[in-house]
Each structure stands twice: as structure tokens, then as C-alpha cells.
Amino acid sequence: AKSQWVGVVQTGCLIHDVILDAVEDARAACRLHLRDAPSVYIDGFKNIRCSYIPEHLYTIMLELLKNSMRATVELHGRQSNSHEPLFGESLPPTRITICGGQDIIIRVSDRGGGIPPKSFGRIWNFSFSTAPQGIGELAGFGHGLPLSRRYARYWGGDMEVFNMENHGLDVYVRLGVKEDGFETKEPEWMKRDSVTGEGIEHRTRR
């Protein structure tokens, strides 16, 4: 599908490419301020397209990735209290999963240690941050997460954060828009259920 522009909206926006731009910029910022950055793996449906504002998606992903990478390097890397800090490729990677259909959902998972329970209830407050001050564009202003959720909700989507204390975070971004061509595409769950149903019917007949 060829991308076109209707004002600031890009039809046929390739989700994977926008995320990839955010990954590269987040890693560059992390390396600049912390001298290292974890790898990022993207899986799921990499060819999903939809009508969306790319700048909104880029901002959402950039903020999530900067938080994720900073937390990972601070917990496991050269600035941690570990006697055996990890570097480069040995750092726990951030994993991004893209899925879609009637709605497009992106999951960002890391092993940055999660958020202290006493702070978790304040993560959507503007100007609140768990990051130390003085690391420039990487973090510390407290606007990234609440602003990202507002961008997600702009199209009727949302953002949810699942906190695993002392392990990491799973953040789910629901864009609120359907995948291009969804009406003419047989969903994966329908293929699975039809096969399962045939198997049950077959066993019943025998």
C-alpha cells in the first residue's frame, strides 16, 4: 500500500518504520548521556500499516524507549552497583512486539527493574520523574509518559503500564485505529479456531 498524506495524517503509515526511527534516536541519546545502550528487538507483524500521525507515534515510542534504556543501563550497566556490570550486547534487551487487526497494539518490555510501588501511582503526573536530574534530553523532566498517553488517546487509544517490581515494565500502547485492509483479511484467531473446530468435529465423528 502506498502512503499518502491528508494534512498531518499519513495513510498507509508503516508502524515498524516509525518505531525504528524512535529506536535509533533513543539509543543515540542513551549512548550520549550514559555511554551505553541496550539492544532492541522488534517482532510481531512488521508489515502493519494504518492511518495515523507518525509524529505522535514517534513521540510515544521515543519516550518509552528512553525510559526503558536509561533504567536498564542504570540497573545493569557501568553506573550500577553491580560488581559485574554488563555492557553493550550483554545488557538485557528491550523487546517491542507489534500486533494488529481491529486495533493495533504495541508492547514494550524491558528489564530495567520496574518502578518503586510508592512512585507508581504518580507516573501519569506531569513533572514527576523517577530519573535523576542532569541527564539532559534522556529523562528527568517528567513530561514524557503523561504526554505520550495523551497522544495515544488522541485517536481513542490508550496506554497501560504493568509494573514488575525489581524486574521491569511491560507497556501496552493501543493506537485506537484498525490495520489497513482489516475488513478483507481473515483474522489469525479465526484461522486457529476454524482448525480447532474441524479437529473437534472430526474426533466427534470417529
Side-chain angles (χ1 to χ4, degrees), residues 179-200:
E179 176 186 357
D180 285 356
F182 169 74
E183 294 84 355
T184 59
K185 181 179 177 182
E186 184 180 15
E188 295 297 324
W189 61 264
M190 187 177 292
K191 299 176 184 177
R192 178 197 65 213
D193 288 357
S194 64
V195 171
T196 304
E198 290 173 2
I200 293 173

Side-chain angles (χ1 to χ4, degrees), residues 101-122:
Q102 189 169 352
D103 201 345
I104 295 174
I105 298 177
I106 302 166
R107 180 182 64 193
V108 181
S109 302
D110 66 51
R111 287 182 53 198
I115 299 172
K118 65 179 181 180
S119 301
F120 188 73
R122 302 172 62 193

Side-chain angles (χ1 to χ4, degrees), residues 44-107:
F45 303 131
K46 297 183 180 181
N47 295 321
I48 284 181
R49 293 179 181 269
C50 67
S51 295
Y52 209 75
I53 301 177
E55 287 78 6
H56 285 190
L57 178 58
Y58 171 83
T59 299
I60 292 170
M61 296 307 301
L62 180 66
E63 294 301 331
L64 292 179
L65 288 165
K66 287 194 301 182
N67 289 344
S68 169
M69 292 179 183
R70 174 192 58 79
T72 299
V73 173
E74 288 179 349
L75 181 64
H76 299 280
R78 69 180 78 234
Q79 296 185 357
S80 68
N81 295 322
S82 173
H83 294 296
E84 297 181 359
L86 303 176
F87 305 96
E89 296 295 327
S90 63
L91 285 165
T94 297
R95 299 186 181 276
I96 300 173
T97 304
I98 307 168
C99 66
Q102 189 169 352
D103 201 345
I104 295 174
I105 298 177
I106 302 166
R107 180 182 64 193

